Amino acid sequence: MDVTTARERLEFMLAELDRSIGVLRGDPVAVRDRSTADAGSDLTDADRAQAMLTVATTQRHAVIEAIKRIEEGVYGQCVDCREPVPAGRLEARPEAARCVQCQGKRERRR
Ligand SMILES: [Zn+2]
């Protein structure tokens, strides 16, 4: 995936995330409508909105960091080992900051 395509995808993701975050913060009705599919869960609407907001905010941060890496000319490099992140991984997750090995190490440390 070339950097121009990556940037377009990241900017699109950022716009979508900003929209979702705005909805989650400001409009509980929209959240309820979207989550009717998984009725039966013990989570309240407010809990679910909060969980979605946390995920969206984390994702938004990752997307912004990836756009920064494009600007710095280091996009597609693992931020830990500086090896290239495999194209397939970037295709699936354009905001990925690490190669699979480093991501795995990081998650095991937690
Ligand atoms: Zn790495």
Side-chain angles (χ1 to χ4, degrees):
M1 184 162 64
D2 63 76
V3 170
T4 311
T5 310
R7 192 181 182 116
E8 276 170 14
R9 284 184 55 186
L10 287 162
E11 280 172 357
F12 178 76
M13 286 166 75
L14 187 59
E16 287 286 292
L17 286 164
D18 279 342
R19 204 174 52 83
S20 310
I21 290 168
V23 168
L24 290 167
R25 286 203 177 127
D27 189 358
V29 177
V31 177
R32 194 153 46 230
D33 285 350
R34 199 183 297 159
S35 54
T36 44
D38 54 358
S41 147
D42 290 333
L43 286 176
T44 65
D45 289 341
D47 286 340
R48 198 179 290 133
Q50 188 56 52
M52 285 166 68
L53 189 58
T54 303
V55 171
T57 306
T58 306
Q59 177 88 347
R60 184 177 184 276
H61 181 74
V63 169
I64 288 170
E65 290 295 306
I67 292 171
K68 248 187 239 167
R69 288 195 298 278
I70 291 176
E71 280 162 3
E72 288 163 6
V74 295
Y75 181 73
Q77 275 176 30
C78 172
V79 297
D80 285 349
C81 68
R82 301 285 161 197
E83 290 296 315
V85 178
R89 178 164 168 80
L90 289 174
E91 199 66 56
R93 296 193 52 194
E95 80 284 15
R98 290 178 183 81
C99 66
V100 180
Q101 287 86 343
C102 292
Q103 187 65 45
K105 271 184 225 156
R106 196 179 156 85
E107 279 165 13
R108 271 198 300 279
R109 250 201 326 261
R110 255 178 226 163

